[in-house]
Amino acid sequence: MITQSEYNDAILRARTYLAKAGIVLTLEEAENIEVADFGLGELDRSGLALITYVNTERCCAKELVLFPGQTCPEHRHPPVGADPGKEETFRCRWGEVYLYVAGEPADNPACKPPPAPEASYTVSHEVRLGPGEQYTIPPDTLHWFQSGPQGAVVSEFSTRSRDELDIFSDLRIARQPQIAPE
Amino acid sequence: MITQSEYNDAILRARTYLAKAGIVLTLEEAENIEVADFGLGELDRSGLALITYVNTERCCAKELVLFPGQTCPEHRHPPVGADPGKEETFRCRWGEVYLYVAGEPADNPACKPPPAPEASYTVSHEVRLGPGEQYTIPPDTLHWFQSGPQGAVVSEFSTRSRDELDIFSDLRIARQPQIAPE
């Protein structure tokens, strides 16, 4: 768990990264940046901040902020009824992000996963995204990502987002952030 | 029809607007900016420039550039088979854009449609979008938009885009840009 003040600090910090990327938010959006620590309580290692611009039955757009070296843990977006699962495109706007997906493992990967139980990180094909570069993740496909030393701002374009249904490889993870009472 | 040099000039100009908005493109994207004049041959009045980041069966993201006072003519995205038609969210990133949709007509609209045959512009409820503001257009719904005096850069988040099926109220309009031989 992270504390309310850690949560609030992360919001303030995320705003500075969005400003560096030239992204303008409304006042209401800036107040409502979401901070996800995946219930691990180690926001410096695992987590991200995000703004959801729109999330209808059919499509979704978000802005993701990763602080330097922060990891979004390995997960997939499973099918839901007739929906094959969330398809998402990550487009790096600022900084750099390393995306890991199934395929030939990187010989010298730029990133190491954070410490986690066995089988929490299983895919290791590396895709580096700098500003203006993007990659599309098919539905129900394992992936994780980590920002470089500057951090990263990444636009996500996708089908409907149902974060609460995401399946993480690290079985400790609960997607909803949990804030400790102070 | 516009000439190849008008088309090329519009690409160069669009790049400067994207730079003002802080949007980074790959070299390949910058080379492949699309200019739409809707076949009207009056790019200063009607048209826009765009980059399509992704357009899969399920979702699409684009960046639109409107030069000062430029209009995207009234149109709708009709159903296609089981698909109810394209749903789109416009998010202004830079400048300002006035969106017109069905509903109570504006008393003092900020924009006038360009000269066009009768019934080319029928909806006149005004929505102003400044940086960070957005609006979602349901499928199969008439809309048109015009930028303010600075021009505008607008992100579009949507379901699959099938521009060639768009239905324009101005019956002169062919969606595919036509370039005159020089």
Side-chain angles (χ1 to χ4, degrees):
Chain A
M1 290 202 290
I2 55 171
T3 63
Q4 185 70 55
S5 68
E6 285 175 309
Y7 195 96
N8 294 347
D9 286 350
I11 291 177
L12 294 176
R13 208 171 158 206
R15 285 183 199 156
T16 67
Y17 282 86
L18 290 161
K20 288 182 202 187
I23 288 169
V24 182
L25 301 183
T26 61
L27 286 176
E28 195 188 346
E29 287 169 339
E31 295 287 322
N32 289 292
I33 291 174
E34 182 188 350
V35 177
D37 80 331
F38 304 102
L40 297 174
E42 41 178 36
L43 204 52
D44 53 331
R45 283 178 173 161
S46 299
L48 76 170
L50 63 149
I51 307 130
T52 301
Y53 290 146
V54 59
N55 186 22
T56 73
E57 275 303 312
R58 302 174 69 198
C59 64
C60 178
K62 298 179 183 182
E63 222 73 74
L64 313 180
V65 178
L66 291 120
F67 301 141
Q70 215 179 19
T71 297
C72 177
E74 184 177 289
H75 65 286
R76 61 186 169 87
H77 308 288
V80 184
D83 183 325
K86 184 187 181 202
E87 170 197 295
E88 56 195 11
T89 297
F90 295 116
R91 183 178 178 88
C92 182
R93 299 289 197 166
W94 183 90
E96 64 179 348
V97 65
Y98 293 88
L99 185 59
Y100 295 90
V101 295
E104 189 65 34
D107 280 335
N108 284 301
C111 304
K112 263 204 288 200
E118 207 183 345
S120 294
Y121 290 87
T122 64
V123 296
S124 54
H125 180 71
E126 183 176 278
V127 180
R128 180 194 175 273
L129 302 178
E133 294 176 325
Q134 63 180 43
Y135 190 85
T136 299
I137 309 274
D140 204 19
T141 302
L142 286 171
H143 58 285
W144 61 280
F145 48 97
Q146 187 177 106
S147 60
Q150 284 190 287
V153 176
V154 178
S155 294
E156 181 188 299
F157 314 123
S158 75
T159 59
R160 181 174 176 78
S161 184
R162 296 177 177 90
D163 291 341
E164 66 286 4
L165 302 182
D166 292 350
I167 296 173
F168 285 85
S169 302
D170 182 340
L171 302 174
R172 297 171 304 165
I173 294 182
R175 173 63 180 79
Q176 296 308 315
Q178 295 163 348
I179 299 169
E182 306 239 317
Chain B
M1 290 205 289
I2 57 172
T3 64
Q4 185 70 54
S5 68
E6 284 174 309
Y7 194 96
N8 293 347
D9 287 350
I11 290 177
L12 294 176
R13 208 171 159 203
R15 285 184 199 158
T16 68
Y17 282 86
L18 290 160
K20 288 182 201 187
I23 288 169
V24 181
L25 301 183
T26 61
L27 285 177
E28 195 188 346
E29 287 170 337
E31 295 287 320
N32 289 292
I33 292 174
E34 182 188 350
V35 177
D37 81 333
F38 303 101
L40 296 175
E42 42 177 37
L43 204 53
D44 53 330
R45 284 178 172 160
S46 299
L48 76 171
L50 63 151
I51 306 130
T52 301
Y53 289 146
V54 58
N55 186 22
T56 73
E57 276 303 313
R58 301 173 71 198
C59 64
C60 177
K62 298 180 183 181
E63 223 72 75
L64 312 180
V65 178
L66 290 119
F67 301 140
Q70 216 180 18
T71 298
C72 176
E74 185 177 289
H75 65 286
R76 60 187 170 86
H77 308 287
V80 183
D83 183 324
K86 185 186 180 203
E87 171 197 292
E88 57 194 9
T89 296
F90 295 116
R91 182 178 179 89
C92 182
R93 299 288 195 166
W94 183 90
E96 64 179 346
V97 64
Y98 293 87
L99 187 58
Y100 295 91
V101 294
E104 188 68 32
D107 280 338
N108 284 301
C111 305
K112 266 202 288 198
E118 207 182 347
S120 294
Y121 290 87
T122 65
V123 296
S124 53
H125 180 71
E126 183 175 280
V127 180
R128 180 194 174 275
L129 301 178
E133 295 176 325
Q134 64 180 42
Y135 190 86
T136 299
I137 309 275
D140 204 20
T141 302
L142 286 171
H143 57 285
W144 61 280
F145 48 96
Q146 188 178 104
S147 60
Q150 281 190 290
V153 176
V154 177
S155 293
E156 182 188 298
F157 314 124
S158 75
T159 58
R160 181 174 174 77
S161 184
R162 297 177 176 89
D163 291 342
E164 66 286 3
L165 301 182
D166 292 350
I167 296 173
F168 285 85
S169 302
D170 182 339
L171 302 175
R172 296 173 303 165
I173 293 181
R175 172 65 181 77
Q176 295 309 315
Q178 296 165 347
I179 299 169
E182 306 238 315

